[in-house]
Amino acid sequence: MNKPKKHLLQKASKAFLINGLIIMLIAAVALYFYTKSLLENEIEEELYSNKDRVERLLVTNPKLYAIPPIIVVEKSDDVLPALLKDTLIYDPLQDEVELFRQLSGTKKVNGMTYKITVRAMVIESENILYAIVFIFLTLIFIAFVFIFYLNKSRNAKLWKPFFVNLDNVKAFSIKSENPLKLEESDIIEFDELNQELTHLTSKVQIDYRNLKQFTEDVSHEMQTPLAIMQAKIETMFNDNTLNDSQYEQLSSLQSDIRRLKLLNKRLILLAKIENEQFTSEEIFVLNDLIEEILNNFKELTPSRFTIESNFPLKIKMDKYLAQILCTNLISNAVKYNQRDASILINYTKNTFKISNTGDSALKQPEYVFDRFYKESSKKDSSGLGLSIVKKICDRYGFKPSYSFQENLENSTNQGYHQFEVTFIPST
């Protein structure tokens, strides 16, 4: 399953946003616990200091001092260890129960044991803690938003040459005579990328021109001697001194030359399709085109064509390639159809299907569209017709497929070889 695609700047901004929020939250939590620890230490230090002051006062003045609930001094019969804890105490001044941090312990002064308790209100320190964290979060959030937009703007400016050059590469065609033009950049990596792209596209343009020239040369150089050979053979046919054996050999040679010419023609066609030399596109109704092709075939084959469904099928492609695609499919169906049986044709909104009779399914249907693949031993088969169909479909994103449908109602156990092309709906 392919991952959803995102723009570079969008993904970089999202990563910055997520990372920034995570760092901000971690920093806020760390600040909270660190500040809380500092405040608690400060309160405990203050409590120990107050307790020492009270103990010193009791040495010089044994009169009991008490400032409830902050300081409580009372005589005690027991000696208790120092105890530090949180406690809830009612504060009459504020008329509510408050949380205090409390330090208590006993001290023997002038032969008398006193229990000294000092307290500090925790609520005030908590308020200070929350205020510090809130201010920190507010400031860091404002700074984060500012840095986010600054970083986004900076990235857009930084990556601008890349996006400009990306558009130039998309618009570039190897068929063009002009070289690829890229925007210069002071970034070393972008500059190296520009140099490599310029070098690569220049090489591809040269290779394309050489291949195109080679294709044209091959077409010309092979067709001419083949035509001469065929003409010479036809001349020899007029020689009355030929015996039957010589006549058969010349007929076989003439058949081989026709196959060679057809093979050469189809290989050149494949090369032209691969080189994208068919660029014109138009919208037309495929039914009309196939009707013209069927009329031509009706004069050449005893097979009957039966149109089962005639839904108007509109496609957008090069009409010459569409004619080749349909001709090859129809020719394949005619070639392998059982004599006198009907060839079935079916149109839907997006598909064209042609079916011819057959005894059994292909042994290796996954290779049926491969170049030079043949299951039949027929000599007039070049093994390129269906591969040309596949190449044309690949050119436009169409989907060709093969299936075999058994005919259980037929006593001869014949089925149908079905070739279907799924077209992309024209817009």
Side-chain angles (χ1 to χ4, degrees), residues 136-150:
F136 167 78
L137 284 175
T138 303
L139 291 177
I140 199 172
F141 178 75
I142 293 172
F144 176 74
V145 171
F146 176 75
I147 294 174
F148 173 75
Y149 283 104
L150 184 65

Side-chain angles (χ1 to χ4, degrees), residues 320-374:
Y320 176 68
L321 290 183
Q323 187 174 23
I324 294 173
L325 185 150
C326 298
T327 301
N328 285 5
L329 287 174
I330 296 171
S331 174
N332 181 75
V334 169
K335 189 180 298 178
Y336 298 104
N337 190 47
Q338 303 290 335
R339 186 172 181 81
D340 298 334
S342 289
I343 295 175
L344 308 180
I345 293 177
N346 197 304
Y347 300 96
T348 69
K349 183 179 179 181
N350 298 320
T351 63
F352 164 67
K353 183 167 69 179
I354 183 166
S355 308
N356 63 277
T357 53
D359 295 330
S360 60
L362 297 180
K363 296 177 182 177
Q364 294 178 305
E366 64 273 20
Y367 301 123
V368 69
F369 293 105
D370 287 1
R371 194 174 294 189
F372 296 119
Y373 176 78
K374 293 189 292 184

Side-chain angles (χ1 to χ4, degrees), residues 17 23 42 126 150 170 218 220 248 278 289 291 312 368:
L17 192 64
I23 292 173
E42 188 65 26
E126 290 284 343
L150 184 65
K170 288 179 180 176
V218 167
H220 177 73
E248 289 180 0
F278 299 94
L289 179 64
E291 185 65 29
V368 69

Side-chain angles (χ1 to χ4, degrees), residues 98-163:
E98 300 287 1
L99 177 63
F100 285 85
R101 188 70 172 166
Q102 172 182 298
L103 174 63
S104 62
T106 55
K107 180 72 176 177
K108 197 168 186 179
V109 179
N110 297 329
M112 184 68 67
T113 302
Y114 296 91
K115 181 183 179 183
I116 304 169
T117 303
V118 292
R119 301 187 181 98
M121 189 176 291
V122 176
I123 300 300
E124 293 179 355
S125 62
E126 290 284 343
N127 291 338
I128 294 172
L129 176 62
Y130 293 144
I132 291 173
V133 174
F134 175 75
I135 292 171
F136 167 78
L137 284 175
T138 303
L139 291 177
I140 199 172
F141 178 75
I142 293 172
F144 176 74
V145 171
F146 176 75
I147 294 174
F148 173 75
Y149 283 104
L150 184 65
N151 180 71
K152 187 177 179 181
S153 172
R154 180 63 182 167
N155 279 341
K157 187 176 180 181
L158 186 69
W159 285 91
K160 183 182 175 184
F162 173 81
F163 292 119

Side-chain angles (χ1 to χ4, degrees), residues 9 29 66 86 90 109 118 174 201 225 237 247 251 262 285-286 343 348:
L9 292 181
V29 172
D86 292 333
Y90 175 74
V109 179
V118 292
I174 60 173
T201 52
F237 276 133
Y247 187 85
S251 297
L262 178 63
V285 179
L286 189 70
I343 295 175
T348 69

Side-chain angles (χ1 to χ4, degrees), residues 214-225 264 268 272:
F214 172 77
T215 304
E216 293 172 353
D217 291 345
V218 167
S219 174
H220 177 73
E221 296 300 329
M222 288 193 67
Q223 291 290 347
T224 303
N264 177 51
I268 292 171
K272 287 183 176 180

